[in-house]
Amino acid sequence: MDTIKREYVVQRDIMDDVRLDKVAQKGTWVVKPTIGEQIKDFFRCSMSRLKLILLSFLPVLEWLPQYPFKEYILGDLISGISIAVLHLPMGLAYAPLAGLRPVYGLYTSFYPVLLYVIFGTCKHLSVGTFAVTSVMVGEVVQVMAPDSNFLVNGTNGTTVVNTADRDAYRVEIAMALTIIMGIYQILLGLFKFGFMVNYLSDPMIRGYTTASAVLVCISQLKSIFGVSPALYSGILSPVRTFINVCQLLPKTRPVEVIITALSLLVLIPVKEMNAYFKNKLVVPIPIELVVVVIGTIITHYTGIITKYGVAVVGVIPSGFQAPFAPYSNLYAQVAGSAIALAIVSYTINISLGKTFSRRYGYKVDNNQELLAIGIGNVVGGFFQCYSVTAALSRSLVQETTGGKTQVAGIISSLLMLIAILKIGSLFQDLPKAVLAAVVLVNLKGMFVQFVDIPFLWRTNKVDLLVWMVTFIGAIVLNLDVGLALAVGFAILTVIFRTQLPHYSLLGHVAGTDLYLDTETYREAKEIPGIKIFRSSTTIYYTNAEMYLDALQEKSGIDIRVLLLAKRKREADLKRQQENAKKKAEKEAKKQKRSGGHLPGGPFSLKESNDDYYERLRRQSQGTISEISLPETSPPNNDIGQVNWAYQHDPNIFDSVPDKFRQGPDTITQVSPPIADGKGGTHSFILDVSTLSFVDTVTLNTFKNIFTEFGEVDLDVYLAGCQACVVKQLETAGFFSDAIPKSKVFVTIHDAVIFVLKKRSQMDLILDIPGNTKM
């Protein structure tokens, strides 16, 4: 049984911003260092600062000396072995996606992994080759070094591709691309641009990786069917490649299709079994390595290479090659493509890192991750590696097999070292169809993301649109241009959302201090004479004009019509006064010539002509006012006072209750101008609690609202203004005698009570108590 008494009572003074500053003692209580002090502190040298810099730049120096060997070593050892078992087949399989020989996938699984152990901050990431980045590298490599550029004369007058020269040039392109993208990442990390990942929404990332998975599948069709499609680049190149493969299907090699199918029949059930029994298996079954080994053995001993022409990996040299720098003229050619690759690589890396950090409660530094992955790319680029990032499948294995730290990365690197030196050359008879099957199976996680479509359709159609535009753009325009399109479109959706916010009039819920949307809550009732207006988003230059339009539309008051009516009446009054003055002057001259008395009293010699005409003009003006603008008594406590100069309704007399009439053409106590045809509005309260900043356009919009509404006797107040926004208003000179700071209230409730007390509407004050009980 709920024994908590669900009520609270608050009793305090009405709090405008001036009163708030006094009560809360506003002031500069936290002194921030000046720019000069910050610069001085930045260049300050001490042992403690040097240690802090080293630990932040080299995280391994912080966690490795404190490594709990007995507790973590077994889990990290098992995890490292499991990761190495995945690195080998994935390195062999993903390198051809990048247009390179498989051995370069092995190099990429060694050098960058060691560097990430030193500089990385995530304990569970497994960096190395990845399908998405491999395809992006492959697009650049194959466009810049197509087979047609390396044709040489063969026997019997035929032309053949000089694969040695082609492969060597492609390696240098991949190296240059990797080095440049690494430099971009390092610069972004040094200048603290790790926040840029926040501009890549989750639907956009998932749509992009799903499109990448489709492109990877299309690229593997040639290995699955044993055909050689033409190389396409530019817009719709994946679609054209797919069509070309379909046209070449009559030339399919059945043996390679059978190898692929058999590999999938083994890989898929075992991978599913690993996922289903992941909590019971000490280590997952290394089925990729098993299939690769078995496929190599069968191919080597059955002779199907010579009998059926099965495409195999080819020569895999043992050992490492000396580092070198690629051709200098390549850097400029790949600089543009490296931007998209750097962003995608970092985004995948930090997204997975944040996932694990939230799960296990440690911090991943965005900027340090940029540095870690960038250093891995730059250094690895000189050692014939290509772009690296974290892979979801390997990272999940590293987590589920008991990996606690990046010691697992050290162990996997040592095993990869052995593979490169001694084992890699044994896989030269491995069929490419087996590698294609390994690639397809490991894309499952990205293909599962297609379920986002029905989910986003039910939950958020704008995010669905971002997902679809990203997916289609990446396939149609290729991955680099598709990424730029996706980012631009996602930013446009944010702009359109702020340009099309939800505007609402708020009503008071009786007996509380709550003010809710009258269209959503039935018990929220508008307070007579007061319009409370709210925008669901911040106001800035793109939607400031719409804010004013919505304010008038929701309240039913067209301020421009009221201003025009006021100015017209003022002009009519002035014209009547001038006509009366001219008529009086004419009569005065006429009487003076005839020696008679002037209207308005006898002419006195002691009174000058100008003084007399002025007295006559006042009397004449009083006569006109008495006829057309009768005086009104002081405002009634309930409904206020009419200003006929602003009243544009000729039938206003018909809408005035009899108790306020003194005669057929005079009124004493009446309501303010009935601008919306529903009642006398006298005050507007603008709920600005959603504002996080004000720009020049917003400032001018609020000034115009206060000025124009004030001209027609409508009071305007601000409520819920944050301290940072008030400070910006003060700095911009918003407050003045016409717009005092006392018109800014802490809450809507404060503003409402102030208005009601000012208007002496005691009956409403009793219904909206200062003591709030709920």
Side-chain angles (χ1 to χ4, degrees):
M1 182 177 179
D2 188 1
T3 59
I4 299 175
K5 192 175 183 181
R6 296 181 177 275
E7 65 177 25
Y8 71 88
V9 177
V10 177
Q11 185 172 1
R12 61 172 173 81
D13 294 338
I14 296 173
M15 200 75 69
D16 59 26
D17 205 70
V18 177
R19 176 68 176 161
L20 175 66
D21 292 349
K22 294 179 181 178
V23 172
Q25 299 183 19
K26 182 179 179 182
T28 307
W29 303 109
V30 179
V31 180
K32 296 182 180 180
T34 63
I35 296 178
E37 291 173 341
Q38 293 179 28
I39 295 174
K40 181 180 178 181
D41 183 66
F42 181 80
F43 288 102
R44 181 175 55 86
C45 185
S46 65
M47 288 303 297
S48 59
R49 180 169 176 77
L50 178 61
K51 180 181 178 181
L52 184 64
I53 292 174
L54 283 176
L55 292 179
S56 62
F57 185 67
L58 299 170
V60 67
L61 297 179
E62 183 176 3
W63 62 264
L64 189 57
Q66 303 174 7
Y67 182 76
F69 189 84
K70 292 183 179 179
E71 298 177 19
Y72 285 0
I73 188 60
L74 181 60
D76 284 338
L77 179 62
I78 296 173
S79 178
I81 295 172
S82 303
I83 294 302
V85 168
L86 285 177
H87 267 307
L88 182 62
M90 285 185 175
L92 295 172
Y94 289 157
L97 295 179
L100 307 174
R101 288 186 296 165
V103 69
Y104 296 103
L106 300 182
Y107 297 156
T108 306
S109 301
F110 175 69
Y111 292 107
V113 175
L114 279 178
L115 291 168
Y116 186 81
V117 170
I118 298 171
F119 296 99
T121 59
C122 183
K123 301 176 182 179
H124 297 87
L125 283 188
S126 174
V127 300
T129 57
F130 186 52
V132 175
T133 51
S134 299
V135 169
M136 295 181 73
V137 173
E139 286 185 351
V140 178
V141 166
Q142 293 179 21
V143 168
M144 293 182 61
D147 291 345
S148 58
N149 290 1
F150 300 92
L151 296 177
V152 295
N153 293 325
T155 57
N156 301 325
T158 60
T159 58
V160 295
V161 177
N162 187 339
T163 55
D165 290 347
R166 181 201 65 185
D167 292 345
Y169 188 58
R170 285 182 173 182
V171 168
E172 296 208 23
I173 295 172
M175 290 169 61
L177 179 63
T178 303
I179 292 169
I180 289 296
M181 68 167 284
I183 291 173
Y184 287 157
Q185 290 170 332
I186 291 173
L187 291 175
L188 290 171
L190 291 174
F191 288 100
K192 310 298 182 183
F193 269 80
F195 67 87
M196 69 179 183
V197 72
N198 298 330
Y199 292 97
L200 305 179
S201 66
D202 189 59
M204 185 178 73
I205 294 172
R206 293 173 70 87
Y208 189 82
T209 52
T210 306
S212 302
V214 173
L215 296 182
V216 171
C217 282
I218 293 174
S219 70
Q220 294 303 297
L221 292 177
K222 61 182 181 181
S223 298
I224 293 172
F225 295 104
V227 296
S228 300
L231 178 64
Y232 298 98
S233 61
I235 297 176
L236 291 175
S237 57
V239 178
R240 295 160 67 189
T241 300
F242 179 77
I243 293 173
N244 190 219
V245 169
C246 293
Q247 294 171 343
L248 294 173
L249 286 179
K251 300 180 180 180
T252 297
R253 295 175 181 172
V255 176
E256 300 203 19
V257 176
I258 293 171
I259 292 173
T260 304
L262 290 174
S263 300
L264 290 174
L265 286 175
V266 176
L267 286 166
I268 293 175
V270 178
K271 294 279 286 185
E272 291 299 316
M273 186 171 65
N274 281 341
Y276 187 79
F277 294 105
K278 63 181 179 180
N279 295 326
K280 297 181 179 179
L281 294 173
V282 178
V283 294
I285 300 172
I287 189 59
E288 289 95 342
L289 183 60
V290 172
V291 170
V292 166
V293 171
I294 293 175
T296 303
I297 293 173
I298 293 175
T299 305
H300 180 75
Y301 287 103
T302 57
I304 61 175
I305 300 175
T306 55
K307 290 181 182 179
Y308 302 103
V310 174
V312 295
V313 169
V315 178
I316 300 178
S318 298
F320 294 95
Q321 300 183 28
F324 67 94
Y327 293 123
S328 58
N329 61 344
L330 290 175
Y331 293 116
Q333 298 179 47
V334 300
S337 300
I339 296 174
L341 189 55
I343 294 173
V344 171
S345 170
Y346 168 66
T347 301
I348 294 171
N349 200 79
I350 195 64
S351 298
L352 289 175
K354 292 288 187 183
T355 301
F356 290 119
S357 68
R358 286 192 295 267
R359 187 176 300 172
Y360 292 99
Y362 59 86
K363 181 180 179 182
V364 170
D365 189 327
N366 291 6
N367 298 309
Q368 184 62 29
E369 285 297 302
L370 268 173
L371 289 173
I373 202 74
I375 292 171
N377 281 315
V378 170
V379 176
F382 289 105
F383 286 88
Q384 296 92 58
C385 301
Y386 67 93
S387 171
V388 296
T389 189
L392 175 61
S393 57
R394 289 196 309 269
S395 299
L396 288 175
V397 169
Q398 181 166 331
E399 177 206 15
T400 55
T401 53
K404 302 295 183 181
T405 66
Q406 282 299 330
V407 169
I410 298 175
I411 295 170
S412 70
S413 297
L414 293 175
L415 294 176
M416 288 304 300
L417 176 63
I418 297 172
I420 294 170
L421 293 176
K422 298 296 182 182
I423 302 176
S425 58
L426 300 177
F427 294 100
Q428 60 185 13
D429 289 337
L430 174 64
K432 291 184 178 180
V434 173
L435 291 181
V438 172
V439 170
L440 292 179
V441 168
N442 283 284
L443 292 176
K444 176 197 170 186
M446 286 182 276
F447 281 123
V448 169
Q449 293 174 155
F450 275 112
V451 301
D452 291 349
I453 295 176
F455 174 76
L456 292 175
W457 175 262
R458 295 191 304 270
T459 58
N460 194 316
K461 291 183 175 57
V462 175
D463 283 346
L464 173 62
L465 194 59
V466 171
W467 197 102
M468 294 299 299
V469 168
T470 304
F471 177 81
I472 295 172
I475 291 179
V476 172
L477 303 175
N478 289 333
L479 292 172
D480 49 357
V481 180
L483 177 63
L485 173 67
V487 173
F489 183 78
I491 293 174
L492 282 178
T493 62
V494 175
I495 294 173
F496 286 136
R497 284 179 179 183
T498 59
Q499 283 189 311
L500 300 172
H502 176 68
Y503 297 108
S504 56
L505 284 179
L506 306 184
H508 176 247
V509 179
T512 73
D513 60 348
L514 300 179
Y515 295 85
L516 306 176
D517 188 352
T518 55
E519 296 179 358
T520 305
Y521 297 92
R522 186 172 62 179
E523 291 301 317
K525 307 296 183 182
E526 282 193 44
I527 301 171
I530 302 177
K531 299 290 185 183
I532 307 171
F533 182 71
R534 173 188 288 167
S535 169
S536 63
T537 188
T538 192
I539 307 165
Y540 64 114
Y541 69 95
T542 64
N543 61 11
E545 185 176 350
M546 288 183 286
Y547 179 85
L548 178 58
D549 293 340
L551 173 62
Q552 297 180 87
E553 180 183 351
K554 286 285 185 180
S555 64
I557 294 179
D558 192 334
I559 194 65
R560 295 173 183 84
V561 171
L562 294 181
L563 289 172
L564 288 174
K566 172 198 170 183
R567 288 161 188 166
K568 182 177 181 299
R569 291 186 180 280
E570 288 178 342
D572 290 344
L573 179 60
K574 184 176 181 181
R575 186 171 57 255
Q576 292 176 19
Q577 291 173 346
E578 290 176 352
N579 290 338
K581 179 179 178 181
K582 290 178 181 179
K583 183 176 179 181
E585 290 175 348
K586 186 176 179 181
E587 289 292 332
K589 291 179 181 179
K590 182 177 179 181
Q591 291 292 336
K592 186 176 180 182
R593 285 195 300 268
S594 63
H597 293 289
L598 295 176
F603 177 72
S604 172
L605 293 176
K606 294 181 180 179
E607 185 178 26
S608 66
N609 288 338
D610 291 340
D611 293 338
Y612 175 74
Y613 292 140
E614 178 63 23
R615 178 165 62 86
L616 190 64
R617 187 190 66 77
R618 290 199 200 98
Q619 293 176 355
S620 175
Q621 179 179 346
T623 305
I624 296 171
S625 300
E626 190 175 324
I627 296 171
S628 58
L629 291 172
E631 285 189 18
T632 62
S633 62
N636 181 268
N637 288 341
D638 292 326
I639 50 178
Q641 178 180 1
V642 166
N643 188 332
W644 293 106
Y646 310 151
Q647 180 55 250
H648 59 280
D649 186 356
N651 300 318
I652 185 65
F653 287 104
D654 297 334
S655 65
V656 178
D658 293 338
K659 66 177 181 178
F660 299 124
R661 295 180 181 273
Q662 287 186 338
D665 293 327
T666 61
I667 301 175
T668 54
Q669 297 175 336
V670 295
S671 61
I674 303 177
D676 59 355
K678 297 179 181 179
T681 300
H682 52 71
S683 300
F684 279 79
I685 299 174
L686 308 181
D687 180 6
V688 292
S689 56
T690 57
L691 259 67
S692 57
F693 67 93
V694 286
D695 58 11
T696 304
V697 177
T698 305
L699 192 75
N700 292 332
T701 299
F702 280 132
K703 281 185 177 180
N704 291 337
I705 290 174
F706 273 89
T707 302
E708 293 178 353
F709 280 56
E711 284 189 44
V712 292
D713 283 353
L714 293 172
D715 294 330
V716 181
Y717 304 91
L718 301 180
C721 199
Q722 300 181 56
C724 60
V725 176
V726 174
K727 185 176 180 180
Q728 293 178 47
L729 293 174
E730 290 174 336
T731 304
F734 176 76
F735 298 111
S736 62
D737 293 339
I739 310 175
K741 199 175 177 183
S742 58
K743 288 204 169 190
V744 180
F745 289 88
V746 177
T747 66
I748 299 175
H749 198 55
D750 287 287
V752 168
I753 296 175
F754 173 83
V755 171
L756 295 178
K757 287 189 175 182
K758 178 183 176 182
R759 295 275 169 174
S760 300
Q761 294 180 272
M762 298 305 298
D763 54 337
L764 291 177
I765 292 175
L766 292 175
D767 190 47
I768 305 176
N771 288 353
T772 301
K773 181 177 179 180
M774 183 177 179

